[in-house]
Amino acid sequence: MTNAEVTIRVPTPLRGFVGGRDQVMVPGATVREALAALTAGQDAFRDRLFTAEGDLRRFVNVYLGRDDVRRLGGLEAALPAGATLTLMVALAGG
């Protein structure tokens, strides 16, 4: 992992995993590294974001600026120092 830090904006439904914070600073040179740092030691949180195969779940979207990271190389997309990732999760209900 890199020493560069990125900011991850956390949506309300996931803030319980990060002490109620709306954003968290983590190290990471790629989207995968940053999300791994965010979920380190929290199996339930990791399981909310990733499949058993290590892919992002279908209802989880991650944006680098305005761009969906799936269009930038997915989890292997490089992150510049100081980048901001935004997590979004689809909610269902009625």
Side-chain angles (χ1 to χ4, degrees):
M1 253 201 240
T2 180
N3 291 333
E5 286 199 334
V6 298
T7 300
I8 299 180
R9 292 184 180 149
V10 182
T12 302
L14 299 178
R15 290 180 187 165
F17 292 108
V18 293
R21 294 175 287 172
D22 62 351
Q23 61 184 27
V24 179
M25 297 284 292
V26 297
T30 65
V31 174
R32 183 182 303 279
E33 287 180 2
L35 294 179
L38 179 69
T39 60
Q42 299 186 71
D43 292 344
F45 191 10
R46 187 175 53 248
D47 291 345
R48 293 281 299 269
L49 301 182
F50 297 101
T51 65
E53 294 77 29
D55 298 318
L56 279 177
R57 290 195 177 277
R58 191 178 47 170
F59 60 85
V60 175
N61 295 307
V62 181
Y63 293 89
L64 176 58
R66 294 179 154 208
D67 298 312
D68 186 330
V69 298
R70 287 180 173 98
R71 295 183 179 170
L72 300 174
L75 293 172
E76 304 315 317
L79 297 175
T84 297
L85 292 175
T86 302
L87 289 177
M88 298 188 80
V89 293
L91 299 176

